[in-house]
PDB file of all heavy atoms in Angstrom:
ATOM      1  N   SER A   1      85.968 102.988  87.927  1.00  0.00           N
ATOM      2  CA  SER A   1      85.392 104.330  88.047  1.00  0.00           C
ATOM      3  C   SER A   1      86.154 105.201  89.046  1.00  0.00           C
ATOM      4  O   SER A   1      85.969 106.411  89.078  1.00  0.00           O
ATOM      5  CB  SER A   1      83.915 104.243  88.443  1.00  0.00           C
ATOM      6  OG  SER A   1      83.779 103.690  89.734  1.00  0.00           O
ATOM      7  N   CYS A   2      87.032 104.616  89.837  1.00  0.00           N
ATOM      8  CA  CYS A   2      87.831 105.348  90.832  1.00  0.00           C
ATOM      9  C   CYS A   2      89.182 105.783  90.267  1.00  0.00           C
ATOM     10  O   CYS A   2      89.789 106.733  90.753  1.00  0.00           O
ATOM     11  CB  CYS A   2      88.089 104.471  92.055  1.00  0.00           C
ATOM     12  SG  CYS A   2      86.637 103.692  92.770  1.00  0.00           S
ATOM     13  N   ALA A   3      89.654 105.042  89.273  1.00  0.00           N
ATOM     14  CA  ALA A   3      91.011 105.214  88.752  1.00  0.00           C
ATOM     15  C   ALA A   3      91.257 106.595  88.164  1.00  0.00           C
ATOM     16  O   ALA A   3      92.393 107.083  88.194  1.00  0.00           O
ATOM     17  CB  ALA A   3      91.312 104.140  87.711  1.00  0.00           C
ATOM     18  N   GLY A   4      90.231 107.254  87.666  1.00  0.00           N
ATOM     19  CA  GLY A   4      90.413 108.586  87.095  1.00  0.00           C
ATOM     20  C   GLY A   4      90.975 109.567  88.111  1.00  0.00           C
ATOM     21  O   GLY A   4      91.819 110.392  87.773  1.00  0.00           O
ATOM     22  N   CYS A   5      90.545 109.478  89.337  1.00  0.00           N
ATOM     23  CA  CYS A   5      91.032 110.375  90.396  1.00  0.00           C
ATOM     24  C   CYS A   5      92.176 109.763  91.203  1.00  0.00           C
ATOM     25  O   CYS A   5      93.097 110.470  91.604  1.00  0.00           O
ATOM     26  CB  CYS A   5      89.894 110.730  91.353  1.00  0.00           C
ATOM     27  SG  CYS A   5      88.592 111.733  90.617  1.00  0.00           S
ATOM     28  N   HIS A   6      92.088 108.465  91.463  1.00  0.00           N
ATOM     29  CA  HIS A   6      93.047 107.825  92.365  1.00  0.00           C
ATOM     30  C   HIS A   6      94.197 107.116  91.657  1.00  0.00           C
ATOM     31  O   HIS A   6      95.102 106.610  92.322  1.00  0.00           O
ATOM     32  CB  HIS A   6      92.318 106.839  93.287  1.00  0.00           C
ATOM     33  CG  HIS A   6      91.385 107.519  94.235  1.00  0.00           C
ATOM     34  ND1 HIS A   6      91.815 108.205  95.353  1.00  0.00           N
ATOM     35  CD2 HIS A   6      90.034 107.646  94.221  1.00  0.00           C
ATOM     36  CE1 HIS A   6      90.775 108.709  95.997  1.00  0.00           C
ATOM     37  NE2 HIS A   6      89.682 108.392  95.325  1.00  0.00           N
ATOM     38  N   GLY A   7      94.166 107.075  90.334  1.00  0.00           N
ATOM     39  CA  GLY A   7      95.223 106.421  89.566  1.00  0.00           C
ATOM     40  C   GLY A   7      94.945 104.951  89.361  1.00  0.00           C
ATOM     41  O   GLY A   7      94.256 104.322  90.167  1.00  0.00           O
ATOM     42  N   ALA A   8      95.481 104.405  88.294  1.00  0.00           N
ATOM     43  CA  ALA A   8      95.247 102.999  87.957  1.00  0.00           C
ATOM     44  C   ALA A   8      95.708 102.056  89.058  1.00  0.00           C
ATOM     45  O   ALA A   8      95.118 100.999  89.272  1.00  0.00           O
ATOM     46  CB  ALA A   8      95.944 102.656  86.644  1.00  0.00           C
ATOM     47  N   ASP A   9      96.754 102.441  89.774  1.00  0.00           N
ATOM     48  CA  ASP A   9      97.267 101.584  90.847  1.00  0.00           C
ATOM     49  C   ASP A   9      97.016 102.158  92.241  1.00  0.00           C
ATOM     50  O   ASP A   9      97.570 101.685  93.219  1.00  0.00           O
ATOM     51  CB  ASP A   9      98.754 101.314  90.654  1.00  0.00           C
ATOM     52  CG  ASP A   9      99.613 102.551  90.847  1.00  0.00           C
ATOM     53  OD1 ASP A   9      99.075 103.682  90.943  1.00  0.00           O
ATOM     54  OD2 ASP A   9     100.851 102.399  90.887  1.00  0.00           O
ATOM     55  N   GLY A  10      96.180 103.180  92.337  1.00  0.00           N
ATOM     56  CA  GLY A  10      95.826 103.746  93.636  1.00  0.00           C
ATOM     57  C   GLY A  10      96.886 104.629  94.257  1.00  0.00           C
ATOM     58  O   GLY A  10      96.763 105.040  95.409  1.00  0.00           O
ATOM     59  N   SER A  11      97.928 104.972  93.505  1.00  0.00           N
ATOM     60  CA  SER A  11      99.039 105.728  94.094  1.00  0.00           C
ATOM     61  C   SER A  11      98.906 107.242  93.947  1.00  0.00           C
ATOM     62  O   SER A  11      99.708 107.983  94.513  1.00  0.00           O
ATOM     63  CB  SER A  11     100.366 105.272  93.479  1.00  0.00           C
ATOM     64  OG  SER A  11     100.378 105.572  92.091  1.00  0.00           O
ATOM     65  N   LYS A  12      97.905 107.703  93.236  1.00  0.00           N
ATOM     66  CA  LYS A  12      97.738 109.134  93.012  1.00  0.00           C
ATOM     67  C   LYS A  12      97.120 109.806  94.246  1.00  0.00           C
ATOM     68  O   LYS A  12      96.123 109.342  94.789  1.00  0.00           O
ATOM     69  CB  LYS A  12      96.834 109.352  91.796  1.00  0.00           C
ATOM     70  CG  LYS A  12      96.707 110.786  91.375  1.00  0.00           C
ATOM     71  CD  LYS A  12      95.882 110.868  90.089  1.00  0.00           C
ATOM     72  CE  LYS A  12      95.645 112.305  89.689  1.00  0.00           C
ATOM     73  NZ  LYS A  12      94.727 112.371  88.526  1.00  0.00           N
ATOM     74  N   GLN A  13      97.743 110.884  94.688  1.00  0.00           N
ATOM     75  CA  GLN A  13      97.212 111.628  95.822  1.00  0.00           C
ATOM     76  C   GLN A  13      96.197 112.634  95.314  1.00  0.00           C
ATOM     77  O   GLN A  13      96.446 113.349  94.343  1.00  0.00           O
ATOM     78  CB  GLN A  13      98.328 112.358  96.571  1.00  0.00           C
ATOM     79  CG  GLN A  13      97.831 113.052  97.820  1.00  0.00           C
ATOM     80  CD  GLN A  13      98.964 113.537  98.705  1.00  0.00           C
ATOM     81  OE1 GLN A  13     100.117 113.210  98.478  1.00  0.00           O
ATOM     82  NE2 GLN A  13      98.630 114.301  99.713  1.00  0.00           N
ATOM     83  N   THR A  14      95.053 112.670  95.959  1.00  0.00           N
ATOM     84  CA  THR A  14      93.998 113.598  95.562  1.00  0.00           C
ATOM     85  C   THR A  14      93.746 114.596  96.686  1.00  0.00           C
ATOM     86  O   THR A  14      93.437 114.202  97.800  1.00  0.00           O
ATOM     87  CB  THR A  14      92.691 112.859  95.241  1.00  0.00           C
ATOM     88  OG1 THR A  14      92.295 112.114  96.380  1.00  0.00           O
ATOM     89  CG2 THR A  14      92.853 111.921  94.065  1.00  0.00           C
ATOM     90  N   GLY A  15      93.905 115.868  96.375  1.00  0.00           N
ATOM     91  CA  GLY A  15      93.648 116.900  97.382  1.00  0.00           C
ATOM     92  C   GLY A  15      94.436 116.682  98.647  1.00  0.00           C
ATOM     93  O   GLY A  15      95.650 116.506  98.628  1.00  0.00           O
ATOM     94  N   GLU A  16      93.719 116.625  99.761  1.00  0.00           N
ATOM     95  CA  GLU A  16      94.370 116.469 101.063  1.00  0.00           C
ATOM     96  C   GLU A  16      94.455 115.018 101.530  1.00  0.00           C
ATOM     97  O   GLU A  16      94.961 114.740 102.610  1.00  0.00           O
ATOM     98  CB  GLU A  16      93.617 117.302 102.113  1.00  0.00           C
ATOM     99  CG  GLU A  16      92.160 116.913 102.235  1.00  0.00           C
ATOM    100  CD  GLU A  16      91.323 117.924 103.012  1.00  0.00           C
ATOM    101  OE1 GLU A  16      91.493 119.123 102.809  1.00  0.00           O
ATOM    102  OE2 GLU A  16      90.507 117.476 103.819  1.00  0.00           O
ATOM    103  N   SER A  17      93.981 114.095 100.722  1.00  0.00           N
ATOM    104  CA  SER A  17      93.978 112.685 101.124  1.00  0.00           C
ATOM    105  C   SER A  17      95.311 112.003 100.815  1.00  0.00           C
ATOM    106  O   SER A  17      96.108 112.497 100.038  1.00  0.00           O
ATOM    107  CB  SER A  17      92.860 111.936 100.404  1.00  0.00           C
ATOM    108  OG  SER A  17      93.157 111.827  99.034  1.00  0.00           O
ATOM    109  N   VAL A  18      95.496 110.858 101.448  1.00  0.00           N
ATOM    110  CA  VAL A  18      96.681 110.050 101.172  1.00  0.00           C
ATOM    111  C   VAL A  18      96.326 109.068 100.046  1.00  0.00           C
ATOM    112  O   VAL A  18      95.152 108.746  99.843  1.00  0.00           O
ATOM    113  CB  VAL A  18      97.160 109.276 102.427  1.00  0.00           C
ATOM    114  CG1 VAL A  18      97.581 110.236 103.514  1.00  0.00           C
ATOM    115  CG2 VAL A  18      96.094 108.335 102.937  1.00  0.00           C
ATOM    116  N   PRO A  19      97.317 108.572  99.322  1.00  0.00           N
ATOM    117  CA  PRO A  19      97.027 107.585  98.266  1.00  0.00           C
ATOM    118  C   PRO A  19      96.338 106.349  98.838  1.00  0.00           C
ATOM    119  O   PRO A  19      96.546 105.976  99.997  1.00  0.00           O
ATOM    120  CB  PRO A  19      98.409 107.232  97.718  1.00  0.00           C
ATOM    121  CG  PRO A  19      99.256 108.409  98.044  1.00  0.00           C
ATOM    122  CD  PRO A  19      98.738 108.922  99.361  1.00  0.00           C
ATOM    123  N   LEU A  20      95.525 105.710  98.028  1.00  0.00           N
ATOM    124  CA  LEU A  20      94.835 104.492  98.460  1.00  0.00           C
ATOM    125  C   LEU A  20      95.793 103.316  98.553  1.00  0.00           C
ATOM    126  O   LEU A  20      95.650 102.462  99.425  1.00  0.00           O
ATOM    127  CB  LEU A  20      93.718 104.148  97.470  1.00  0.00           C
ATOM    128  CG  LEU A  20      92.628 105.199  97.273  1.00  0.00           C
ATOM    129  CD1 LEU A  20      91.648 104.745  96.205  1.00  0.00           C
ATOM    130  CD2 LEU A  20      91.927 105.502  98.578  1.00  0.00           C
ATOM    131  N   LYS A  21      96.771 103.290  97.646  1.00  0.00           N
ATOM    132  CA  LYS A  21      97.726 102.182  97.601  1.00  0.00           C
ATOM    133  C   LYS A  21      98.444 102.051  98.937  1.00  0.00           C
ATOM    134  O   LYS A  21      98.891 103.033  99.517  1.00  0.00           O
ATOM    135  CB  LYS A  21      98.738 102.404  96.485  1.00  0.00           C
ATOM    136  CG  LYS A  21      99.650 101.231  96.260  1.00  0.00           C
ATOM    137  CD  LYS A  21     100.512 101.419  95.037  1.00  0.00           C
ATOM    138  CE  LYS A  21     101.290 100.161  94.744  1.00  0.00           C
ATOM    139  NZ  LYS A  21     101.844 100.179  93.408  1.00  0.00           N
ATOM    140  N   GLY A  22      98.524 100.825  99.439  1.00  0.00           N
ATOM    141  CA  GLY A  22      99.215 100.563 100.692  1.00  0.00           C
ATOM    142  C   GLY A  22      98.305 100.538 101.909  1.00  0.00           C
ATOM    143  O   GLY A  22      98.737 100.169 102.995  1.00  0.00           O
ATOM    144  N   GLN A  23      97.045 100.924 101.742  1.00  0.00           N
ATOM    145  CA  GLN A  23      96.107 100.891 102.864  1.00  0.00           C
ATOM    146  C   GLN A  23      95.459  99.507 102.948  1.00  0.00           C
ATOM    147  O   GLN A  23      95.293  98.824 101.951  1.00  0.00           O
ATOM    148  CB  GLN A  23      95.034 101.965 102.703  1.00  0.00           C
ATOM    149  CG  GLN A  23      95.593 103.379 102.769  1.00  0.00           C
ATOM    150  CD  GLN A  23      94.487 104.414 102.823  1.00  0.00           C
ATOM    151  OE1 GLN A  23      93.578 104.307 103.645  1.00  0.00           O
ATOM    152  NE2 GLN A  23      94.573 105.411 101.958  1.00  0.00           N
ATOM    153  N   THR A  24      95.081  99.111 104.145  1.00  0.00           N
ATOM    154  CA  THR A  24      94.430  97.823 104.332  1.00  0.00           C
ATOM    155  C   THR A  24      92.975  97.898 103.892  1.00  0.00           C
ATOM    156  O   THR A  24      92.367  98.972 103.862  1.00  0.00           O
ATOM    157  CB  THR A  24      94.462  97.368 105.801  1.00  0.00           C
ATOM    158  OG1 THR A  24      93.655  98.272 106.578  1.00  0.00           O
ATOM    159  CG2 THR A  24      95.884  97.320 106.347  1.00  0.00           C
ATOM    160  N   ALA A  25      92.417  96.745 103.582  1.00  0.00           N
ATOM    161  CA  ALA A  25      91.009  96.683 103.189  1.00  0.00           C
ATOM    162  C   ALA A  25      90.120  97.187 104.323  1.00  0.00           C
ATOM    163  O   ALA A  25      89.170  97.936 104.077  1.00  0.00           O
ATOM    164  CB  ALA A  25      90.627  95.257 102.804  1.00  0.00           C
ATOM    165  N   ASP A  26      90.440  96.822 105.571  1.00  0.00           N
ATOM    166  CA  ASP A  26      89.627  97.263 106.707  1.00  0.00           C
ATOM    167  C   ASP A  26      89.628  98.782 106.852  1.00  0.00           C
ATOM    168  O   ASP A  26      88.582  99.384 107.104  1.00  0.00           O
ATOM    169  CB  ASP A  26      90.128  96.631 108.010  1.00  0.00           C
ATOM    170  CG  ASP A  26      89.816  95.142 108.098  1.00  0.00           C
ATOM    171  OD1 ASP A  26      88.909  94.675 107.379  1.00  0.00           O
ATOM    172  OD2 ASP A  26      90.475  94.455 108.895  1.00  0.00           O
ATOM    173  N   ALA A  27      90.790  99.396 106.701  1.00  0.00           N
ATOM    174  CA  ALA A  27      90.878 100.855 106.811  1.00  0.00           C
ATOM    175  C   ALA A  27      90.077 101.529 105.697  1.00  0.00           C
ATOM    176  O   ALA A  27      89.362 102.513 105.942  1.00  0.00           O
ATOM    177  CB  ALA A  27      92.337 101.301 106.753  1.00  0.00           C
ATOM    178  N   LEU A  28      90.173 100.987 104.507  1.00  0.00           N
ATOM    179  CA  LEU A  28      89.438 101.562 103.377  1.00  0.00           C
ATOM    180  C   LEU A  28      87.937 101.391 103.542  1.00  0.00           C
ATOM    181  O   LEU A  28      87.163 102.310 103.234  1.00  0.00           O
ATOM    182  CB  LEU A  28      89.920 100.926 102.069  1.00  0.00           C
ATOM    183  CG  LEU A  28      91.352 101.281 101.660  1.00  0.00           C
ATOM    184  CD1 LEU A  28      91.828 100.345 100.557  1.00  0.00           C
ATOM    185  CD2 LEU A  28      91.447 102.724 101.214  1.00  0.00           C
ATOM    186  N   VAL A  29      87.513 100.242 104.044  1.00  0.00           N
ATOM    187  CA  VAL A  29      86.083 100.011 104.279  1.00  0.00           C
ATOM    188  C   VAL A  29      85.554 101.029 105.282  1.00  0.00           C
ATOM    189  O   VAL A  29      84.494 101.640 105.069  1.00  0.00           O
ATOM    190  CB  VAL A  29      85.813  98.568 104.771  1.00  0.00           C
ATOM    191  CG1 VAL A  29      84.401  98.432 105.338  1.00  0.00           C
ATOM    192  CG2 VAL A  29      86.024  97.571 103.648  1.00  0.00           C
ATOM    193  N   LYS A  30      86.276 101.246 106.377  1.00  0.00           N
ATOM    194  CA  LYS A  30      85.837 102.212 107.385  1.00  0.00           C
ATOM    195  C   LYS A  30      85.706 103.609 106.785  1.00  0.00           C
ATOM    196  O   LYS A  30      84.761 104.336 107.074  1.00  0.00           O
ATOM    197  CB  LYS A  30      86.803 102.234 108.572  1.00  0.00           C
ATOM    198  CG  LYS A  30      86.698 101.001 109.444  1.00  0.00           C
ATOM    199  CD  LYS A  30      87.698 101.035 110.579  1.00  0.00           C
ATOM    200  CE  LYS A  30      87.653  99.728 111.350  1.00  0.00           C
ATOM    201  NZ  LYS A  30      88.677  99.645 112.385  1.00  0.00           N
ATOM    202  N   LYS A  31      86.653 103.975 105.940  1.00  0.00           N
ATOM    203  CA  LYS A  31      86.606 105.297 105.322  1.00  0.00           C
ATOM    204  C   LYS A  31      85.431 105.419 104.361  1.00  0.00           C
ATOM    205  O   LYS A  31      84.687 106.410 104.396  1.00  0.00           O
ATOM    206  CB  LYS A  31      87.929 105.591 104.606  1.00  0.00           C
ATOM    207  CG  LYS A  31      89.074 105.805 105.581  1.00  0.00           C
ATOM    208  CD  LYS A  31      90.400 105.957 104.863  1.00  0.00           C
ATOM    209  CE  LYS A  31      91.530 106.089 105.878  1.00  0.00           C
ATOM    210  NZ  LYS A  31      92.843 106.235 105.228  1.00  0.00           N
ATOM    211  N   LEU A  32      85.241 104.409 103.510  1.00  0.00           N
ATOM    212  CA  LEU A  32      84.124 104.472 102.564  1.00  0.00           C
ATOM    213  C   LEU A  32      82.780 104.436 103.283  1.00  0.00           C
ATOM    214  O   LEU A  32      81.840 105.122 102.881  1.00  0.00           O
ATOM    215  CB  LEU A  32      84.212 103.351 101.534  1.00  0.00           C
ATOM    216  CG  LEU A  32      85.118 103.635 100.348  1.00  0.00           C
ATOM    217  CD1 LEU A  32      85.163 102.435  99.404  1.00  0.00           C
ATOM    218  CD2 LEU A  32      84.654 104.855  99.580  1.00  0.00           C
ATOM    219  N   GLN A  33      82.681 103.659 104.346  1.00  0.00           N
ATOM    220  CA  GLN A  33      81.444 103.645 105.131  1.00  0.00           C
ATOM    221  C   GLN A  33      81.212 105.008 105.771  1.00  0.00           C
ATOM    222  O   GLN A  33      80.081 105.478 105.847  1.00  0.00           O
ATOM    223  CB  GLN A  33      81.492 102.560 106.197  1.00  0.00           C
ATOM    224  CG  GLN A  33      81.377 101.168 105.647  1.00  0.00           C
ATOM    225  CD  GLN A  33      81.587 100.086 106.692  1.00  0.00           C
ATOM    226  OE1 GLN A  33      82.214 100.310 107.732  1.00  0.00           O
ATOM    227  NE2 GLN A  33      81.093  98.894 106.407  1.00  0.00           N
ATOM    228  N   GLY A  34      82.306 105.650 106.206  1.00  0.00           N
ATOM    229  CA  GLY A  34      82.203 106.986 106.771  1.00  0.00           C
ATOM    230  C   GLY A  34      81.751 108.009 105.745  1.00  0.00           C
ATOM    231  O   GLY A  34      80.923 108.881 106.028  1.00  0.00           O
ATOM    232  N   TYR A  35      82.293 107.907 104.536  1.00  0.00           N
ATOM    233  CA  TYR A  35      81.836 108.786 103.462  1.00  0.00           C
ATOM    234  C   TYR A  35      80.351 108.558 103.185  1.00  0.00           C
ATOM    235  O   TYR A  35      79.581 109.504 103.040  1.00  0.00           O
ATOM    236  CB  TYR A  35      82.627 108.540 102.178  1.00  0.00           C
ATOM    237  CG  TYR A  35      83.970 109.230 102.117  1.00  0.00           C
ATOM    238  CD1 TYR A  35      85.122 108.494 101.915  1.00  0.00           C
ATOM    239  CD2 TYR A  35      84.084 110.616 102.231  1.00  0.00           C
ATOM    240  CE1 TYR A  35      86.367 109.117 101.831  1.00  0.00           C
ATOM    241  CE2 TYR A  35      85.310 111.249 102.153  1.00  0.00           C
ATOM    242  CZ  TYR A  35      86.453 110.493 101.951  1.00  0.00           C
ATOM    243  OH  TYR A  35      87.671 111.121 101.869  1.00  0.00           O
ATOM    244  N   ALA A  36      79.959 107.288 103.104  1.00  0.00           N
ATOM    245  CA  ALA A  36      78.564 106.958 102.794  1.00  0.00           C
ATOM    246  C   ALA A  36      77.602 107.512 103.838  1.00  0.00           C
ATOM    247  O   ALA A  36      76.508 107.966 103.510  1.00  0.00           O
ATOM    248  CB  ALA A  36      78.393 105.449 102.665  1.00  0.00           C
ATOM    249  N   SER A  37      78.031 107.515 105.100  1.00  0.00           N
ATOM    250  CA  SER A  37      77.163 108.017 106.171  1.00  0.00           C
ATOM    251  C   SER A  37      77.337 109.518 106.420  1.00  0.00           C
ATOM    252  O   SER A  37      76.584 110.109 107.180  1.00  0.00           O
ATOM    253  CB  SER A  37      77.452 107.265 107.475  1.00  0.00           C
ATOM    254  OG  SER A  37      78.735 107.622 107.985  1.00  0.00           O
ATOM    255  N   GLY A  38      78.352 110.109 105.800  1.00  0.00           N
ATOM    256  CA  GLY A  38      78.603 111.537 105.981  1.00  0.00           C
ATOM    257  C   GLY A  38      79.421 111.871 107.214  1.00  0.00           C
ATOM    258  O   GLY A  38      79.565 113.033 107.580  1.00  0.00           O
ATOM    259  N   SER A  39      79.997 110.844 107.849  1.00  0.00           N
ATOM    260  CA  SER A  39      80.749 111.071 109.092  1.00  0.00           C
ATOM    261  C   SER A  39      82.264 111.140 108.894  1.00  0.00           C
ATOM    262  O   SER A  39      83.003 111.263 109.860  1.00  0.00           O
ATOM    263  CB  SER A  39      80.430 109.956 110.090  1.00  0.00           C
ATOM    264  OG  SER A  39      80.877 108.701 109.598  1.00  0.00           O
ATOM    265  N   TYR A  40      82.729 111.068 107.658  1.00  0.00           N
ATOM    266  CA  TYR A  40      84.158 111.064 107.397  1.00  0.00           C
ATOM    267  C   TYR A  40      84.458 111.951 106.201  1.00  0.00           C
ATOM    268  O   TYR A  40      83.664 112.049 105.270  1.00  0.00           O
ATOM    269  CB  TYR A  40      84.642 109.633 107.093  1.00  0.00           C
ATOM    270  CG  TYR A  40      86.123 109.532 106.798  1.00  0.00           C
ATOM    271  CD1 TYR A  40      87.050 109.479 107.827  1.00  0.00           C
ATOM    272  CD2 TYR A  40      86.579 109.523 105.491  1.00  0.00           C
ATOM    273  CE1 TYR A  40      88.401 109.400 107.555  1.00  0.00           C
ATOM    274  CE2 TYR A  40      87.938 109.445 105.209  1.00  0.00           C
ATOM    275  CZ  TYR A  40      88.847 109.389 106.247  1.00  0.00           C
ATOM    276  OH  TYR A  40      90.185 109.321 105.977  1.00  0.00           O
ATOM    277  N   GLY A  41      85.612 112.589 106.235  1.00  0.00           N
ATOM    278  CA  GLY A  41      86.076 113.319 105.066  1.00  0.00           C
ATOM    279  C   GLY A  41      86.453 114.757 105.363  1.00  0.00           C
ATOM    280  O   GLY A  41      86.092 115.313 106.388  1.00  0.00           O
ATOM    281  N   GLY A  42      87.178 115.329 104.413  1.00  0.00           N
ATOM    282  CA  GLY A  42      87.654 116.700 104.542  1.00  0.00           C
ATOM    283  C   GLY A  42      86.820 117.664 103.712  1.00  0.00           C
ATOM    284  O   GLY A  42      85.620 117.485 103.529  1.00  0.00           O
ATOM    285  N   LYS A  43      87.495 118.653 103.158  1.00  0.00           N
ATOM    286  CA  LYS A  43      86.826 119.734 102.435  1.00  0.00           C
ATOM    287  C   LYS A  43      86.019 119.255 101.232  1.00  0.00           C
ATOM    288  O   LYS A  43      84.976 119.815 100.919  1.00  0.00           O
ATOM    289  CB  LYS A  43      87.851 120.760 101.959  1.00  0.00           C
ATOM    290  CG  LYS A  43      88.553 121.496 103.077  1.00  0.00           C
ATOM    291  CD  LYS A  43      89.608 122.427 102.510  1.00  0.00           C
ATOM    292  CE  LYS A  43      90.418 123.051 103.622  1.00  0.00           C
ATOM    293  NZ  LYS A  43      91.516 123.881 103.093  1.00  0.00           N
ATOM    294  N   GLN A  44      86.511 118.253 100.538  1.00  0.00           N
ATOM    295  CA  GLN A  44      85.831 117.787  99.334  1.00  0.00           C
ATOM    296  C   GLN A  44      85.082 116.475  99.555  1.00  0.00           C
ATOM    297  O   GLN A  44      84.886 115.695  98.634  1.00  0.00           O
ATOM    298  CB  GLN A  44      86.841 117.643  98.197  1.00  0.00           C
ATOM    299  CG  GLN A  44      87.450 118.960  97.800  1.00  0.00           C
ATOM    300  CD  GLN A  44      88.328 118.828  96.581  1.00  0.00           C
ATOM    301  OE1 GLN A  44      88.502 117.757  96.031  1.00  0.00           O
ATOM    302  NE2 GLN A  44      88.875 119.942  96.148  1.00  0.00           N
ATOM    303  N   LYS A  45      84.624 116.258 100.771  1.00  0.00           N
ATOM    304  CA  LYS A  45      83.985 114.987 101.083  1.00  0.00           C
ATOM    305  C   LYS A  45      82.675 114.762 100.338  1.00  0.00           C
ATOM    306  O   LYS A  45      82.255 113.636 100.149  1.00  0.00           O
ATOM    307  CB  LYS A  45      83.783 114.821 102.579  1.00  0.00           C
ATOM    308  CG  LYS A  45      82.688 115.653 103.194  1.00  0.00           C
ATOM    309  CD  LYS A  45      82.607 115.375 104.690  1.00  0.00           C
ATOM    310  CE  LYS A  45      81.374 115.982 105.293  1.00  0.00           C
ATOM    311  NZ  LYS A  45      81.229 115.576 106.686  1.00  0.00           N
ATOM    312  N   LYS A  46      82.033 115.803  99.872  1.00  0.00           N
ATOM    313  CA  LYS A  46      80.758 115.648  99.166  1.00  0.00           C
ATOM    314  C   LYS A  46      80.913 114.762  97.921  1.00  0.00           C
ATOM    315  O   LYS A  46      80.012 114.007  97.590  1.00  0.00           O
ATOM    316  CB  LYS A  46      80.177 117.006  98.773  1.00  0.00           C
ATOM    317  CG  LYS A  46      79.669 117.813  99.936  1.00  0.00           C
ATOM    318  CD  LYS A  46      78.452 117.144 100.530  1.00  0.00           C
ATOM    319  CE  LYS A  46      77.929 117.945 101.696  1.00  0.00           C
ATOM    320  NZ  LYS A  46      76.969 117.207 102.483  1.00  0.00           N
ATOM    321  N   ILE A  47      82.040 114.874  97.256  1.00  0.00           N
ATOM    322  CA  ILE A  47      82.281 114.053  96.061  1.00  0.00           C
ATOM    323  C   ILE A  47      82.267 112.576  96.445  1.00  0.00           C
ATOM    324  O   ILE A  47      81.567 111.765  95.838  1.00  0.00           O
ATOM    325  CB  ILE A  47      83.626 114.433  95.402  1.00  0.00           C
ATOM    326  CG1 ILE A  47      83.562 115.876  94.897  1.00  0.00           C
ATOM    327  CG2 ILE A  47      83.993 113.464  94.286  1.00  0.00           C
ATOM    328  CD1 ILE A  47      84.906 116.452  94.505  1.00  0.00           C
ATOM    329  N   MET A  48      83.029 112.237  97.475  1.00  0.00           N
ATOM    330  CA  MET A  48      83.107 110.844  97.898  1.00  0.00           C
ATOM    331  C   MET A  48      81.818 110.388  98.589  1.00  0.00           C
ATOM    332  O   MET A  48      81.443 109.226  98.486  1.00  0.00           O
ATOM    333  CB  MET A  48      84.313 110.620  98.820  1.00  0.00           C
ATOM    334  CG  MET A  48      85.636 110.570  98.080  1.00  0.00           C
ATOM    335  SD  MET A  48      85.701 109.281  96.788  1.00  0.00           S
ATOM    336  CE  MET A  48      85.418 107.805  97.743  1.00  0.00           C
TER     337      MET A  48
END
């Protein structure tokens, strides 16, 4: 369900974010937890 925006291999850049590919699991978890709590993200954070 993420691949449509982030690409099949996570290399697609979306808006002002960096590609997911190449990031560590810990860094991604912190970001997703931040999105879930509303404490992380840029202009389009509402989507995430």
Side-chain angles (χ1 to χ4, degrees):
S1 65
C2 309
C5 293
H6 294 284
D9 68 350
S11 64
K12 186 175 176 186
Q13 185 169 350
T14 58
E16 58 194 42
S17 69
V18 297
L20 301 177
K21 187 173 187 165
Q23 295 189 51
T24 66
D26 288 340
L28 292 166
V29 166
K30 288 178 185 175
K31 290 174 183 180
L32 276 178
Q33 288 173 337
Y35 278 123
S37 70
S39 64
Y40 180 82
K43 295 177 186 176
Q44 296 186 359
K45 74 180 191 173
K46 289 292 180 193
I47 296 168
M48 284 303 300

